[in-house]
Amino acid sequence: MKFTDRLLSALQNLRRHKTRTILTSLGVVVGCMSILIMVSIGYGLSEAQQSMIEGMGDITKITINNYASYSPTGGSTTSNVIDDEKLLEFKAIEHVKVVSPMLQLEDFQAKVTAKNDIYRADYCPLVGLSKDLMNEEYFELEEGLFPQASASLQTTDVLVGTDFAYLFVDTRRPEGQNRISPYGDDFGYYYGPMGEEEAMPEKQEPYFEPLDETIKLTLSSYSESSTTPKESTFKLRPVGKTVADYNLTYETAEGIMIDLDSFKNIVNQARRDAGLPRKSFTYSSVVVYADSIDHVKSIQDTITGMGYEAYSTQDTIESIQESSRSIQMILGGIGAISLLVAAIGITNTMIMSLTERTREIGIMKALGCRTKDIQMIFLTEAGTIGFLGGMFGILFSYLISFAINYFAWHPKGGFIEFIQFVLTSGSGRISVIPLWLALFGLLFSIIIGLVAGFIPARRSLKVSALEAMKYN
């Protein structure tokens, strides 16, 4: 018997009991919908987590921390220090692309002035970074260019944070009226109902544009023998303004970023002016960038094996992904219970069909029909019920998913905008049914139907032709 003959026979038998077929298929529809919707919610959660991971910063970045205690002379009291030789060892690790210490100012107080000391900032964060890091691959500039390493201390090219100019006060104005905030002094109160943030006000103009000025940096050092600080001054020329990226370094917001070698020269010159010995630089924080996300874990393990604390977003990613997989399995398991109930319904339907068609089976056997063909007819009927239930289950699942996402769609608009929202990954969708999940739901429904129909199909083989023909 050909497959088309078995299929036509199965469809004819299913049409014979339409109500029972519809009710049995409805159980499969509900089961398939339960799996797809449950898993789609877990998938939407995974998508939201992925968006959160992407917002954490560069996922190829590894941060090395070495929290050693420092002596008064500036040296580390631990043997496992990070110095320039150790940086070369990090650089030599396979698949390491960039190594840069985050050199902070430790022994001096810094203040900066502009326009012949008219504008002054008594606090200014500074950081020295490797020139391999200070480029367009890792920094985004609002305007300007990246600095070149300075050959002398006459004027040093630097990057400044986007809000660097707002650190300054106007020394000609009275206290309390001499500072400009980026969005006004009352910016903290720009919130709507239930804490919903309203549109940000227009950013105010600072007293001056940093890229148009030369900044004077003053480093002050106090000694035990004198209460008068020893000061050294340096000229800095801002050539680029960065977009704030706190995952990279805080100074991108309102600080100064200096080429590492230039920063070391400035510090050593200030130490000479203060009568302090030349500093042997050690670093408490270093960033390492892998050439690929695939190599982050191996590089991190190598650095940890060298005795340092190493952290990367890969740690968080693995934890989040494991949690997401667990949630999806739990939700899918809950949905599978409904499909299991549907399988019981299919089994019951096929057993009833077998009982009703006992005489028919006997006649088929008496006419020479193979028992294998009879078995395949029952399996085809069960598989057809699973197929129909899976198809309608997918259809209704997409409709329910669309409805769920519609209520999650805050910027209400036209139909085209909603479709773009639904089809755009990482856009805040609650329910996501990718094509592979829909195909899996259909395949699983068919398999459930075949498995549920296997027992009645096997029972059909044991029906005696002679006894069956006597059955009324």
Side-chain angles (χ1 to χ4, degrees):
M1 183 179 291
K2 297 180 181 180
F3 172 75
T4 53
D5 295 330
R6 291 197 298 267
L7 180 60
L8 291 174
S9 177
L11 292 175
Q12 182 180 0
N13 291 326
L14 291 176
R15 283 197 299 267
R16 190 184 304 169
H17 303 284
K18 293 181 181 179
T19 302
R20 189 167 65 195
T21 301
I22 291 174
L23 292 176
T24 305
S25 299
L26 187 60
V28 181
V29 171
V30 173
C32 182
M33 284 172 49
S34 299
I35 288 183
L36 294 185
I37 294 300
M38 288 293 185
V39 176
S40 74
I41 293 175
Y43 201 84
L45 176 62
S46 177
E47 185 180 83
Q49 291 173 337
Q50 184 63 34
S51 298
M52 181 182 68
I53 289 171
E54 293 173 356
M56 291 179 178
D58 198 322
I59 57 179
T60 63
K61 175 184 174 183
I62 303 167
T63 302
I64 307 172
N65 294 317
N66 186 42
Y67 299 113
S69 57
Y70 288 88
S71 65
T73 59
S76 173
T77 60
T78 66
S79 58
N80 200 25
V81 297
I82 301 179
D83 53 17
D84 291 330
E85 291 184 3
K86 190 61 66 174
L87 294 181
L88 294 177
E89 292 184 25
F90 294 152
K91 182 70 173 178
I93 297 174
E94 190 175 7
H95 299 297
V96 167
K97 186 176 182 180
V98 172
V99 175
S100 175
M102 312 291 282
L103 184 58
Q104 307 288 338
L105 194 64
E106 297 171 356
D107 307 322
F108 297 89
Q109 292 180 340
K111 70 176 182 180
V112 287
T113 58
K115 281 192 177 292
N116 297 320
D117 298 338
I118 293 176
Y119 304 112
R120 185 187 75 244
D122 294 327
Y123 163 77
C124 178
L126 296 94
V127 63
L129 303 171
S130 168
K131 60 179 177 293
D132 295 331
L133 186 64
M134 297 177 67
N135 56 59
E136 64 277 358
E137 185 173 356
Y138 302 100
F139 281 82
E140 182 180 355
L141 295 184
E142 281 188 3
E143 55 181 314
L145 304 170
F146 287 96
Q148 302 297 319
S150 302
S152 68
L153 295 177
Q154 296 299 317
T155 304
T156 303
D157 291 350
V158 298
L159 294 177
V160 295
T162 180
D163 292 333
F164 170 72
Y166 298 99
L167 293 175
F168 291 80
V169 297
D170 188 341
T171 58
R172 300 168 300 181
R173 297 173 182 266
E175 189 70 28
Q177 303 177 24
N178 58 352
R179 183 185 296 277
I180 296 178
S181 297
Y183 299 102
D185 295 332
D186 296 330
F187 175 63
Y189 299 99
Y190 280 87
Y191 292 92
M194 302 298 291
E196 183 178 350
E197 188 172 350
E198 295 181 344
M200 295 178 67
E202 185 176 354
K203 199 170 187 178
Q204 301 188 61
E205 291 293 331
Y207 287 125
F208 67 96
E209 173 52 53
L211 301 191
D212 296 335
E213 301 294 331
T214 297
I215 305 299
K216 184 171 75 173
L217 169 66
T218 301
L219 300 183
S220 304
S221 175
Y222 287 88
S223 64
E224 296 180 357
S225 59
S226 175
T227 57
T228 303
K230 296 182 179 180
E231 295 184 341
S232 300
T233 61
F234 305 91
K235 291 183 179 180
L236 306 179
R237 179 171 55 228
V239 295
K241 184 187 297 184
T242 61
V243 174
D245 183 357
Y246 294 100
N247 293 310
L248 183 58
T249 177
Y250 169 79
E251 285 75 15
T252 55
E254 53 181 26
I256 298 176
M257 291 138 283
I258 311 176
D259 170 71
L260 184 62
D261 293 333
S262 300
F263 192 62
K264 289 180 179 179
N265 291 336
I266 289 174
V267 171
N268 279 323
Q269 180 61 49
R271 292 181 69 85
R272 284 194 296 269
D273 294 342
L276 299 173
R278 184 180 178 87
K279 184 177 178 63
S280 178
F281 291 96
T282 58
Y283 314 104
S284 61
S285 180
V286 177
V287 294
V288 174
Y289 285 86
D291 58 9
S292 168
I293 181 61
D294 298 328
H295 302 128
V296 170
K297 188 62 177 176
S298 62
I299 294 173
Q300 183 178 349
D301 291 342
T302 301
I303 294 172
T304 303
M306 296 168 68
Y308 299 98
E309 295 182 13
Y311 167 79
S312 70
T313 54
Q314 188 71 14
D315 299 327
T316 305
I317 291 172
E318 291 179 354
S319 176
I320 290 176
Q321 289 177 340
E322 182 64 30
S323 174
S324 177
R325 283 192 293 268
S326 299
I327 292 174
Q328 288 186 24
M329 290 180 64
I330 292 172
L331 293 175
I334 294 173
I337 294 175
S338 299
L339 203 53
L340 178 61
V341 174
I344 296 174
I346 294 176
T347 303
N348 180 62
T349 298
M350 299 310 299
I351 290 176
M352 291 177 62
S353 178
L354 174 64
T355 303
E356 294 173 350
R357 295 158 60 190
T358 301
R359 182 178 177 82
E360 178 184 337
I361 293 172
I363 295 174
M364 292 174 65
K365 284 186 175 183
L367 293 176
C369 185
R370 296 182 302 173
T371 55
K372 180 181 178 181
D373 290 331
I374 298 173
Q375 181 184 22
M376 291 304 298
I377 289 175
F378 279 88
L379 287 177
T380 303
E381 290 182 23
T384 302
I385 292 175
F387 174 78
L388 293 175
M391 288 296 293
F392 282 100
I394 292 172
L395 174 61
F396 289 127
S397 294
Y398 272 110
L399 293 176
I400 294 174
S401 178
F402 276 29
I404 293 173
N405 288 322
Y406 181 79
F407 289 107
W409 185 39
H410 294 297
K412 306 295 183 183
F415 179 75
I416 300 299
E417 289 78 7
F418 174 67
I419 295 299
Q420 291 175 345
F421 166 74
V422 171
L423 298 179
T424 303
S425 61
S427 58
R429 299 172 296 179
I430 294 179
S431 174
V432 180
I433 306 179
L435 179 60
W436 69 263
L437 180 58
L439 294 177
F440 169 79
L442 177 61
L443 179 62
F444 194 54
S445 298
I446 295 174
I447 292 174
I448 286 292
L450 293 175
V451 171
F454 181 75
I455 294 177
R458 290 290 296 177
R459 290 184 60 178
S460 69
L461 300 179
K462 301 178 182 179
V463 175
S464 169
L466 183 59
E467 295 295 328
M469 294 179 66
K470 295 179 181 179
Y471 189 87
N472 291 322

